[in-house]
Amino acid sequence: MIIELQKIATMLFVAPEHGEAFWETGARTGLTGVGAWLAEATDSPFTLGEIYRHMTEGDVRAFFKRELAKPSLSLSAGCRTALSDFAGGSDNSFADIKKTITNVLGLWLNPVVDAATSASDFDLRDLRKRPMSTYLGVSPDELDRIAPLYNLLFQQLIDLNVRDLPDEMTPVPVLVILDEFAWIGRASVIASAFSYVAGYGIRLLPVIQSRSQLRGVYGEHVADEIVANCGVEVAFTPKELRGANELSERIGYIGQDSVTKSLTIDGLLANRSKSISEQRRALLLPQELMQFPTDKLILLRGGVPPIVGDKIFYFKSRFFGARAYPAPVLPASERAKNKIVAIGPCRDMTEQEAEGHPANPLTMKIIYTRDHPSALLDVRTAMDGDRITGNLDEGDEHA
């Protein structure tokens, strides 16, 4: 379990290409420790949404220190070590690492995401065992927000299906179509998978608008490596000159006779000459590719010359039109009901707390004000029936 949590954490907290990865490494350790504790010591659902809730309620550091101090609590060595590392740092480093975790897991504030990731009616390990089709759909305006969740799903899909080579138990080949591949953001697991998943019966089919999209996400070298590891490339009419130049060079060149004629006149004498030389010419010039018919395509594959073909429009084909079934109707996911929590009575701060040493740090649950919209106020506040006492000034919530 520790290994699986570490893989998920590595996918969620991506180290920067340049600079120190201290916060991302700490966040991975924290998520691994809290997730292992959730699975080993509680009866709560073992989900990312539940991990997020435990990371945002109350004094997280003090809570896990108390958990580690319980002699009756049996935790695995990996879980105990990860929790000790997470809760044992300084106050500032702990707060920054915790914020790094909650920033990424903030996606699970959405009750739909929380419900969708709390249970599953299919197993990714069965993709190579029996025929099935799984569809992921999201509207364009939500794609940037949901991209980390998609990356995590693809990481799990690849990781679970490359542990064993295909055999009689896993005879089904898998095709993963990644439409608008660049829009899901940087997914290092998928980028590296192009070079080895074919041996496990998995084919990746990325769909991109141009190589510039890949370069913007993965950089020059990784983008070229992704394309180079694709066995077949289908190209349509390019929209940009750089893409047209690259495609023209990939298609290749031919030798073409070039005829040069000259005429020399010297008084009444005229001398004519003609020379023929072979010149190199692209099979398709960039401008010709940019004017390529929209119903045509070019298929590129190693070992064979480029092939010009007709684009298939499924709605015009009887074969594919007969296979266009309506989308299945699925029942709505159950969402967690909002819990109404009664607000307890507040009290005045003690002298020790006023000096900056709170015995019980203030949380959103114990601070209540009726005449101010913010609940994050570090002030002396008390509630006595309908009368609220305390001096509230603009900006106190940021003090």
Side-chain angles (χ1 to χ4, degrees):
M1 180 180 57
I2 294 293
I3 296 177
E4 299 300 328
L5 285 169
Q6 286 178 325
K7 291 178 180 178
I8 293 175
T10 301
M11 189 67 199
L12 289 174
F13 306 105
V14 181
E17 296 184 10
H18 306 285
E20 184 64 36
F22 175 81
W23 307 117
E24 288 74 18
T25 304
R28 294 171 185 174
T29 303
L31 180 70
T32 302
V34 175
W37 168 85
L38 185 66
E40 297 178 10
T42 71
D43 296 327
S44 302
F46 185 37
T47 65
L48 288 172
E50 196 66 25
I51 292 176
Y52 176 74
R53 284 184 283 276
H54 277 88
M55 294 290 293
T56 54
E57 294 181 354
D59 188 344
V60 179
R61 186 183 185 191
F63 173 78
F64 283 114
K65 282 187 174 181
R66 291 194 299 268
E67 288 291 299
L68 291 171
K70 291 181 180 179
S72 59
L73 187 61
S74 177
L75 297 174
S76 64
C79 174
R80 186 173 291 276
T81 302
L83 275 182
S84 299
D85 187 11
F86 174 54
S90 64
D91 292 341
N92 291 336
S93 63
F94 175 83
D96 290 337
I97 292 174
K98 175 190 169 186
K99 192 62 179 176
T100 302
I101 298 175
T102 55
N103 281 344
V104 174
L105 296 186
L107 179 62
W108 274 262
L109 280 170
N110 188 326
V112 177
V113 174
D114 190 14
T117 55
S118 296
S120 177
D121 56 1
F122 67 94
D123 194 333
L124 291 174
R125 291 170 292 189
D126 292 337
L127 288 176
R128 297 191 301 159
K129 296 179 180 179
R130 59 185 179 88
M132 68 170 69
S133 297
T134 303
Y135 297 89
L136 302 177
V138 62
S139 58
D141 61 312
E142 295 283 351
L143 190 54
D144 289 339
R145 191 170 60 89
I146 301 297
L149 184 60
Y150 275 16
N151 287 340
L152 180 60
L153 178 64
F154 289 132
Q155 180 267 335
Q156 291 285 290
L157 185 153
I158 293 172
D159 180 68
L160 293 173
N161 287 281
V162 297
R163 297 179 179 180
D164 301 301
L165 290 172
D167 54 22
E168 62 275 4
M169 297 298 295
T170 55
V172 181
V174 178
L175 175 64
V176 182
I177 302 177
L178 304 168
D179 193 11
E180 297 296 346
F181 173 55
W183 277 94
I184 64 175
R186 186 179 183 87
S188 301
V189 173
I190 304 177
S192 60
F194 279 91
S195 61
Y196 64 84
V197 293
Y200 296 89
I202 301 175
R203 299 292 187 271
L204 300 179
L205 197 163
V207 180
I208 59 176
Q209 298 295 328
S210 66
R211 289 199 189 187
S212 299
Q213 282 188 319
L214 284 184
R215 295 189 184 101
V217 177
Y218 294 97
E220 188 83 21
H221 300 294
V222 178
D224 291 341
E225 183 181 351
I226 290 175
V227 177
N229 284 316
C230 293
V232 178
E233 181 178 353
V234 179
F236 302 103
T237 306
K239 303 295 191 300
E240 58 178 11
L241 183 59
R242 181 177 180 181
N245 287 327
E246 292 176 348
L247 184 57
S248 177
E249 291 183 2
R250 293 196 61 194
I251 293 174
Y253 298 86
I254 59 172
Q256 185 178 31
D257 290 342
S258 175
V259 179
T260 303
K261 298 180 181 180
S262 63
L263 174 62
T264 303
I265 301 176
D266 184 8
L268 298 177
L269 299 178
N271 184 19
R272 292 182 176 87
S273 64
K274 181 174 73 172
S275 62
I276 301 176
S277 62
E278 189 177 33
Q279 300 290 334
R280 191 181 75 159
R281 183 195 187 276
L283 280 170
L284 288 172
L285 296 171
Q287 58 267 30
E288 293 174 337
L289 287 170
M290 297 184 72
Q291 298 171 6
F292 209 62
T294 57
D295 59 346
K296 297 290 184 179
L297 59 85
I298 300 175
L299 189 145
L300 303 172
R301 182 177 182 178
V304 297
I307 300 172
V308 176
D310 296 325
K311 185 190 299 184
I312 296 176
F313 297 89
Y314 80 91
F315 50 86
K316 295 181 180 179
S317 170
R318 277 187 278 177
F319 175 77
F320 289 101
R323 303 180 64 177
Y325 297 105
V329 179
L330 300 177
S333 301
E334 294 184 3
R335 302 186 185 183
K337 296 181 179 179
N338 294 330
K339 297 180 181 179
I340 301 177
V341 181
I343 300 175
C346 300
R347 58 176 175 79
D348 289 334
M349 297 176 65
T350 63
E351 294 182 0
Q352 182 182 8
E353 292 171 339
E355 293 175 356
H357 306 285
N360 297 301
L362 295 174
T363 66
M364 293 177 63
K365 295 182 178 180
I366 63 174
I367 299 178
Y368 176 79
T369 61
R370 176 170 296 181
D371 57 348
H372 200 284
S374 175
L376 301 174
L377 301 175
D378 191 9
V379 296
R380 288 178 31 172
T381 305
M383 183 176 70
D384 183 13
D386 292 333
R387 183 173 62 87
I388 299 176
T389 61
N391 184 17
L392 303 180
D393 294 327
E394 184 68 19
D396 282 344
E397 67 271 28
H398 305 296

